[in-house]
Amino acid sequence: MHEWESLSHVKWECKYHVVIVPQVSPKSDLRAMEAGDRAILRELCRQKGIELLDGNLRPDHIHMCLSVPPKFSIAHTIGFLKGKSAVRIHRELLGERRMTGLHFWATGYCVSTVGLDQTKVRQYIRIRRSSRAVKAISI
């Protein structure tokens, strides 16, 4: 049986495959900062209630599978993760102490949804239709 997350009026499963890339510089080799990067990203996800389901740190990019509550847009989520992690990477891993201009990630990101197929969506619609006993409209 499929386990759904829930909020007060929502049953949800919002999973995204995200790829982010550091800017090209001698300091951006992710292999050298592997343990620190992982800890920083996991902590930031925990702060926002985002579940980091899986991840793969490559020398030049990071793949993450995130479960994001529907109250956050994916753009907001990635902006938060990239912005806060850039500051923490500079402070904790690279030893920078300045407060501004701390760029680490390249502009943009790649994202795709990971989710249900059409049969699961139709099954959910049928369940909701029958549980409400409301005259159904076929689409």
Side-chain angles (χ1 to χ4, degrees):
M1 182 74 188
H2 183 76
E3 292 297 321
W4 290 83
E5 300 287 338
S6 64
L7 296 170
S8 60
H9 297 285
V10 179
K11 295 281 188 190
W12 64 275
E13 181 186 55
C14 301
K15 293 180 183 172
Y16 300 93
H17 172 228
V18 178
V19 180
I20 55 176
V21 179
Q23 290 181 345
V24 178
S25 77
K27 295 180 178 181
S28 65
D29 184 2
L30 295 175
R31 286 178 295 197
M33 299 177 280
E34 185 171 353
D37 280 350
R38 286 183 184 181
I40 288 170
L41 289 170
R42 285 190 190 284
E43 173 62 22
L44 291 172
C45 286
R46 189 195 60 74
Q47 285 178 14
K48 284 288 187 182
I50 297 163
E51 188 177 356
L52 180 56
L53 301 171
D54 199 6
N56 186 1
L57 191 115
R58 309 294 301 169
D60 59 346
H61 63 279
I62 294 177
H63 289 269
M64 295 181 287
C65 185
L66 303 174
S67 178
V68 181
K71 63 183 177 180
F72 299 124
S73 72
I74 190 64
H76 176 269
T77 300
I78 300 304
F80 172 80
L81 290 176
K82 286 174 65 175
K84 296 297 183 183
S85 67
V87 171
R88 290 189 57 188
I89 287 168
H90 276 280
R91 286 187 185 158
E92 297 172 18
L93 303 178
L94 301 176
E96 296 280 336
R97 293 290 175 216
R98 58 194 169 116
M99 298 296 284
T100 59
L102 299 178
H103 301 285
F104 185 80
W105 302 108
T107 304
Y109 56 93
C110 176
V111 65
S112 66
T113 57
V114 178
L116 302 175
D117 58 0
Q118 185 178 5
T119 57
K120 293 282 187 184
V121 173
R122 287 179 157 204
Q123 180 184 10
Y124 174 78
I125 291 169
R126 281 194 293 276
I127 290 169
R128 296 302 303 162
R129 187 183 301 156
S130 64
S131 69
R132 291 213 147 172
V134 174
K135 191 174 183 178
I137 299 172
S138 296
I139 297 177

